[in-house]
Amino acid sequence: MGVPTHRLRQFRFAALGIILLTVAIRLPSLLHPQPIDDEAGYSVIANEIVHGGRPYIDAVDRKPPLLFWTYAAVFKVAGEYNWLALHMLSLIWTLATMAGLYVIAKQLFDRETGLIAALFYSVFQPWWSFKNLAFNGEMVMNLAIVWAWAIALRHSSSRLRPELFLAGVLLCAGFLLKQPPAHGRIFRSPRSCGNCALETRHSP
């Protein structure tokens, strides 16, 4: 019993360390009382929506509508141009995406690999440029895509998998958060991805 308990304690410390690292990496955005890069344009359209305006008519941008509605929901609840609330949501969004990557890697390999996947996302998603801390379309889309595949790759012995409907809904949400060219490699056949996963599991 001692060894599993010790390993579990190590795992929890590692997970906590990754969470704290993520908070530290994104701390500059939490302390920045201004929009970061694309956030300025998105917030204008979002607040127009909050005031009853119509996207693509009263305010125009080429991004899909769900991104603007997400921003509008934040400003509706927290107040117009509330950058702290937006950047707090960005942190939570990042942690939720990391959790999805952990689930995928744990299902395909083991929980240590899941932690590594989460760590890599924490470090490399905002890599190199302060602009990458922005709550932009790519980052927002990642959450929906990651959890769609976490659901789709879940182990199941049943031929009937109603949860795949939810995975499909999440993929559609990703499509409505970021323009279609970003999805070229995402909408692969689930069968082909499943085969890749099986080959990886059974490789020597």
Side-chain angles (χ1 to χ4, degrees):
M1 286 296 291
V3 174
T5 302
H6 178 65
R7 292 190 63 184
L8 180 60
R9 188 180 299 115
Q10 286 183 323
F11 173 81
R12 288 175 175 172
F13 276 125
L16 179 60
I18 292 173
I19 292 172
L20 293 177
L21 175 64
T22 305
V23 173
I25 289 173
R26 305 199 72 86
L27 186 60
S29 69
L30 299 177
L31 300 176
H32 186 67
Q34 298 294 330
I36 302 172
D37 198 41
D38 294 337
E39 292 175 353
Y42 300 160
S43 63
V44 170
I45 297 173
N47 282 298
E48 188 67 34
I49 293 172
V50 170
H51 293 145
R54 296 164 295 176
Y56 312 113
I57 297 177
D58 299 310
V60 179
D61 193 290
R62 60 188 176 85
K63 296 294 188 295
L66 192 54
L67 177 62
F68 304 132
W69 293 336
T70 302
Y71 266 69
V74 174
F75 294 140
K76 181 75 173 179
V77 172
E80 292 184 25
Y81 301 106
N82 190 327
W83 305 117
L84 177 59
L86 186 70
H87 296 155
M88 281 293 296
L89 177 62
S90 179
L91 171 61
I92 295 170
W93 209 277
T94 301
L95 292 171
T97 305
M98 291 165 56
L101 289 170
Y102 167 80
V103 169
I104 292 173
K106 180 176 179 290
Q107 290 174 159
L108 296 179
F109 303 101
D110 52 45
R111 65 183 187 181
E112 287 76 16
T113 307
L115 283 182
I116 293 172
L119 173 64
F120 279 4
Y121 186 83
S122 171
V123 172
F124 290 110
Q125 187 277 323
W127 184 256
W128 191 257
S129 174
F130 181 72
K131 294 192 302 181
N132 290 334
L133 292 173
F135 192 58
N136 56 25
E138 290 83 2
M139 179 192 170
V140 177
M141 173 191 71
N142 287 341
L143 178 63
I145 300 302
V146 165
W147 275 103
W149 283 113
I151 294 170
L153 295 175
R154 187 177 70 87
H155 303 315
S156 176
S157 58
S158 174
R159 298 189 64 179
L160 295 176
R161 297 191 58 194
E163 72 272 16
L164 292 180
F165 176 78
L166 176 58
V169 170
L170 288 171
L171 286 175
C172 291
F175 187 86
L176 292 173
L177 287 164
K178 179 64 181 171
Q179 61 263 43
H183 293 72
R185 295 187 179 182
I186 292 169
F187 288 96
R188 294 183 61 191
S189 161
R191 181 181 297 274
S192 67
C193 288
N195 290 340
C196 290
L198 289 172
E199 289 171 7
T200 302
R201 284 198 204 103
H202 293 97
S203 61

